[in-house]
Amino acid sequence: MPFRALGRSASLALIAATAMAAAEVAPDRADRLQRIAEAIEQGHGEVGSLMFALRNLAPTVEEALPIYLRLLRRESDSARGYALLGIAALGPRAASAQGALVALLGEPSASAYVKGEALRSLDAIASEDASLVPVLERSLRDVALTPRAKAPALSLASRLGPDAAALAPLAAGFLDDPDTSVSGAAYLAIGAIAARRASGAPAPGMPVAEQYAAMRDRAGAGDAGAIAAVLRDDPRHAARACALDFLAACATWDEATTAAVVAATAGDDVVLAGCARSTLLGESVRGLTADRSHLPLAPLAAALGDAHPAARRAAADALARQGAAAVPASGALRDALIACDGRRSAVEVLALLDAVRAIGSGAAPAADAIATLLVPQSALFTGRPHREVQRLRARMLATLAAVGVPRSARPQVLDALANPDPVCLLEFVGAARAAGREGRAAGYATPHLLHALDSDFPDDLAEPLSDSPAPHRPLRPTELPRDAVTARVEAIRALAAIADPSTAPRLREAAQAGFANAGNDALLRTELAAALARLPHGATP
Amino acid sequence: MTPRPLLALLLCACPLAAADLQKDTDPGAVCEHCGPDTAQEPGADPFLEPDHRAAAPLPDLPLADSAGAARTLGGLADRPLAITFVYTRCGNPNKCPRAAKAIAGLHARLAAAGLGQRVRVALMTYDPEFDTPERFAAWAGTHGVTAGDDTLLLRPDAARKRELFSALGLGVNFDDGGVNIHSLELLLLDRSGRIARRYHSVIWNDDAVVADLARLADEAAPKR
């Protein structure tokens, strides 16, 4: 839906997925939890690493929450950011953290970043405690917070309903905000605060509270047509955006409704047009179409060139969900990638890459575009911070590994493997996967992949928490979780795919010696054994 | 070792081509056994024969050497030039520091091969705004590179560096703070200031580069 903070949802989903994947309980689990808690208590260790280790243990609320609360007492924005992200991921189960969050919001020295994240976490807890009203009022008046940061406060006001009546005048001040996530939240808050039943059909120009209630009732009855009238004829931005939100919740649309949404996609209000496209092409279409193969590829492909970032992103996400069935959109994805320069958000570029990756081998045209964009002088990288460039290139290489590696990309694969940045091995990981995809043709990569077996190779996680608020710090080998897929693991997998008989002695030597200082030694040995087993007959004793 | 078999080795990894190494191989030719795609070493572009090089020399954009003297690539074309690109703020020890050390090693190899007075090697900074002559020279010195008649430390004009790097086809990009990504590259320029070969992605093979430079030094001097 247009009002949702998609990026945030993705982060929380990532955390949840990580925790579920690590559900296997290690025998020394309690001991490891204890050590993490002690490290947090004593201020030892890098918080990001500790949080990763914690998530791998799939902690219960009772285990995790005290750790998060301890982190909140630190003064570091980074530490607090991790804690707030964790609390938000727990959602309503973290209700007991409400007091700490309220205290944080009242702390004069807390940064705007921390306060914004605290509001998000408070919103995620989904409290309906009326005592929050003064806290929300203070936050909505806080000049240090951006309107986007205040949106969760408006969302909380919606949840409180009539109890938040004191906030209605403040919410009204956001109705004209150009950011629909803000103006929409304000509209919803005012509507929920009024909370009376509609006396009739929603009509353009009605008072917000009345119109909201009427649209809510009609959405509940599945009457999209009545809501479409607001979208079609109401001059107010937030009212129309909210109508789009309610329309997305309607199970069926009649032709007039579809026409109204389509018309909104081409309106002068570019933000609303983006929302309309999102509604039309994203969530609502997915909701309306049980069989995803019937999703309209042509409009999705066309939307990749939309003027509004939200629409482009929604289209890329929708294509990614179709997987290989989106092959006909490969050309449009290629064009969209070529159109990306340094001003295009990394999130959007990553969404395009994910769509290409989901198509897989059928996306050859897009693979050629990616190879072109990979060169350092590409406009895609101009003006971006160094670490963002590394993250993008890593994902581009990993995408090529899924699609196929054009020969024109080989110099970039080679460069990433031969000159790894010890502080950030993501490009090395992407290149190792790409080389593995090439199989026996990637003999050029072999000597550089073998360097990963050296004892002084600065191994690190293959997929650090790129959505974390703090820069990633490489883990020490001993800190690596036992099941950690690392750059070294990826290199061994690539060597297995290349299956060069000349690598046998080095692989065997590494398998025998092991990596005593690495936490994932057992996994490394398993991978080495698998690599040796794949060598042609005669290469191993 | 004569240059041509070595070049053929560099240009083709096809085992079936081994027998051809004894022939008078055209280094730019495509391997008849394995086709066009594998005829090129991933870490080096083909050596370009004089007729295949750019018709015009590189633009004469302003440079300064470590003594502050004005230079241009065209003005240095009295000898073949091997040039690589670095910057002192590079945070990746596997890139710029290694490239600088490799240039020091190449310089020693050229001297041993008797080419010291016939060719030049150079380091050029991507980052002249930060790399003052003193800072650049000190950094190069820590990696074994000392400026001299046959070893240059070059700084492009900050206002025109992107133009120069673009003309050279370098893999480098920038953000507001400076370099945000770069490749590892060694360019060999002939005595007309034209690119004859580009080594990239990995530290070059000194044997191959010495052979290339010997070949360039033996080429007829351009008419001026």
Side-chain angles (χ1 to χ4, degrees):
Chain A
M1 288 190 197
F3 302 155
R4 288 183 186 163
L6 292 176
R8 181 72 173 176
S9 303
S11 298
L12 300 184
L14 175 70
I15 291 170
T18 307
M20 287 173 68
E24 186 182 345
V25 178
D28 58 347
R29 185 175 178 283
D31 179 50
R32 292 169 73 181
L33 264 174
Q34 179 64 26
R35 278 188 285 138
I36 291 169
E38 284 172 5
I40 294 285
E41 184 68 40
Q42 294 161 12
H44 294 154
E46 201 264 338
V47 177
S49 311
L50 292 168
M51 289 297 101
F52 182 84
L54 179 64
R55 283 170 204 153
N56 263 3
L57 293 174
T60 63
V61 175
E62 293 72 26
E63 290 166 337
L65 200 52
I67 293 176
Y68 295 147
L69 294 176
R70 270 198 291 274
L71 275 178
L72 282 186
R73 290 201 289 270
R74 290 203 187 172
E75 289 184 358
S76 149
D77 278 7
S78 163
R80 288 175 161 184
Y82 275 113
L84 292 166
L85 200 64
I87 290 170
L90 294 175
R93 293 177 297 159
S96 61
Q98 180 176 311
L101 296 173
V102 167
L104 203 56
L105 285 164
E107 194 179 293
S109 61
S111 70
Y113 162 72
V114 165
K115 286 182 176 176
E117 290 300 311
L119 279 174
R120 285 176 183 276
S121 299
L122 206 51
D123 188 27
I125 287 174
S127 170
E128 295 180 0
D129 182 353
S131 70
L132 286 174
V133 170
V135 178
L136 298 179
E137 183 175 356
R138 195 166 58 238
S139 296
L140 288 171
R141 292 184 190 280
D142 190 338
V143 293
L145 294 177
T146 63
R148 174 65 75 92
K150 292 175 182 176
L154 295 166
S155 170
L156 274 162
S158 319
R159 198 169 289 114
L160 296 177
D163 288 345
L167 302 178
L170 285 168
F174 294 96
L175 279 172
D176 293 326
D177 196 284
D179 184 337
T180 52
S181 69
V182 178
S183 59
Y187 185 98
L188 293 172
I190 292 169
I193 287 167
R196 56 175 177 256
R197 282 193 62 79
S199 54
M206 268 178 139
V208 167
E210 233 175 281
Q211 191 182 53
Y212 166 89
M215 287 203 286
R216 185 188 58 188
D217 281 3
R218 294 299 177 176
D223 182 4
I227 301 168
V230 174
L231 173 64
R232 197 167 44 235
D233 300 324
D234 198 304
R236 295 168 302 183
H237 177 98
R240 300 176 73 202
C242 191
L244 281 167
D245 220 28
F246 278 123
L247 284 174
C250 291
T252 54
W253 291 359
D254 56 21
E255 283 185 25
T257 301
T258 305
V261 178
V262 169
T265 65
D268 293 336
D269 185 334
V270 292
V271 176
L272 197 71
C275 287
R277 283 174 168 80
S278 296
T279 301
L280 184 66
L281 302 169
E283 295 284 348
S284 67
V285 175
R286 283 194 289 278
L288 292 166
T289 314
D291 181 353
R292 284 178 184 166
S293 66
H294 293 161
L295 278 171
L297 273 181
L300 289 174
L304 292 173
D306 196 277
H308 195 271
R312 296 195 299 265
R313 170 90 189 278
D317 287 347
L319 286 170
R321 285 186 173 85
Q322 295 202 59
V327 164
S330 294
L333 285 165
R334 174 200 58 209
D335 294 345
L337 282 164
I338 290 171
C340 289
D341 62 16
R343 292 167 295 182
R344 193 64 57 94
S345 81
V347 169
E348 189 182 329
V349 180
L350 294 174
L352 289 170
L353 292 172
D354 285 348
V356 173
R357 185 157 53 169
I359 292 173
S361 300
D368 288 333
I370 292 170
T372 303
L373 289 170
L374 257 177
V375 298
Q377 61 268 48
S378 160
L380 178 63
F381 303 128
T382 303
R384 294 186 191 274
H386 174 53
R387 295 292 175 220
E388 186 174 307
V389 171
Q390 288 182 313
R391 196 171 134 222
L392 277 177
R393 276 171 57 90
R395 190 79 75 92
M396 292 163 84
L397 288 162
T399 303
L400 292 182
V403 178
V405 185
R407 291 187 188 276
S408 56
R410 279 187 178 176
Q412 303 310 318
V413 175
L414 185 61
D415 189 288
L417 291 175
N419 316 299
D421 180 350
V423 178
C424 176
L425 289 169
L426 286 178
E427 281 183 84
F428 180 93
V429 168
R433 288 182 189 170
R437 165 74 189 219
E438 286 200 275
R440 291 173 195 274
Y444 66 88
T446 302
H448 311 292
L449 291 165
L450 284 173
H451 279 312
L453 302 183
D454 295 345
S455 59
D456 60 352
F457 181 76
D459 202 13
D460 196 11
L461 298 171
E463 297 197 31
L465 302 173
S466 53
D467 289 335
S468 68
H472 175 71
R473 180 188 68 76
L475 296 181
R476 284 185 289 275
T478 49
E479 293 175 322
L480 291 169
R482 65 180 58 194
D483 55 351
V485 175
T486 60
R488 186 178 266 148
V489 171
E490 297 280 3
I492 297 170
R493 288 176 179 172
L495 288 166
I498 294 169
D500 178 350
S502 72
T503 61
R506 185 70 187 91
L507 291 172
R508 202 177 303 123
E509 179 192 350
Q512 285 165 359
F515 300 90
N517 293 327
N520 63 340
D521 175 56
L523 175 61
L524 289 166
R525 286 174 187 264
T526 303
E527 295 288 343
L528 284 164
L532 281 164
R534 288 193 59 174
L535 291 180
H537 184 67
T540 53
Chain B
M1 187 180 277
T2 57
R4 279 181 178 261
L6 181 64
L7 285 166
L9 263 175
L10 276 169
L11 291 168
C12 181
C14 171
L16 294 176
D20 292 343
L21 297 183
Q22 304 310 314
K23 301 176 186 173
D24 189 16
T25 314
D26 172 5
V30 168
C31 171
E32 64 185 77
H33 304 291
C34 52
D37 288 336
T38 56
Q40 186 177 314
E41 175 73 15
D45 289 351
F47 184 93
L48 298 173
E49 296 294 344
D51 289 348
H52 296 162
R53 293 172 202 157
L58 293 163
D60 257 350
L61 295 167
L63 305 170
D65 66 18
S66 51
R71 300 274 200 165
T72 63
L73 288 177
L76 293 168
D78 56 322
R79 301 186 202 172
L81 176 67
I83 181 168
T84 193
F85 303 85
V86 294
Y87 69 115
T88 66
R89 286 193 281 180
C90 182
N92 183 349
N94 291 318
K95 279 204 166 166
C96 293
R98 275 179 69 201
K101 284 175 190 156
I103 276 288
L106 176 63
H107 178 254
R109 289 294 304 276
L110 288 167
L115 288 168
Q117 300 304 308
R118 298 181 66 203
V119 302
R120 287 192 182 92
V121 297
L123 290 176
M124 184 185 290
T125 177
Y126 290 123
D127 190 14
E129 296 90 337
F130 183 81
D131 290 342
T132 59
E134 299 76 19
R135 183 177 281 138
F136 192 22
W139 180 87
T142 64
H143 299 295
V145 180
T146 306
D149 181 51
D150 55 355
T151 305
L152 302 169
L153 302 179
L154 298 172
R155 299 172 59 250
D157 182 80
R160 300 189 72 182
K161 70 175 188 180
R162 293 187 195 215
E163 192 182 342
L164 175 65
F165 296 157
S166 175
L168 292 170
L170 297 184
V172 63
N173 220 320
F174 303 89
D175 66 3
D176 293 342
V179 176
N180 63 359
I181 179 176
H182 70 91
S183 294
L184 193 156
E185 295 178 90
L186 178 79
L187 303 186
L188 305 188
L189 306 187
D190 69 10
R191 291 197 288 166
S192 295
R194 300 178 302 171
I195 297 173
R197 193 192 295 253
R198 180 188 307 270
Y199 288 89
H200 58 81
S201 310
V202 292
I203 293 292
W204 52 89
N205 177 318
D206 276 349
D207 286 339
V209 176
V210 170
D212 284 348
L213 289 170
R215 187 170 171 180
L216 291 172
D218 287 342
E219 286 179 359
K223 292 177 182 174
R224 293 179 185 275

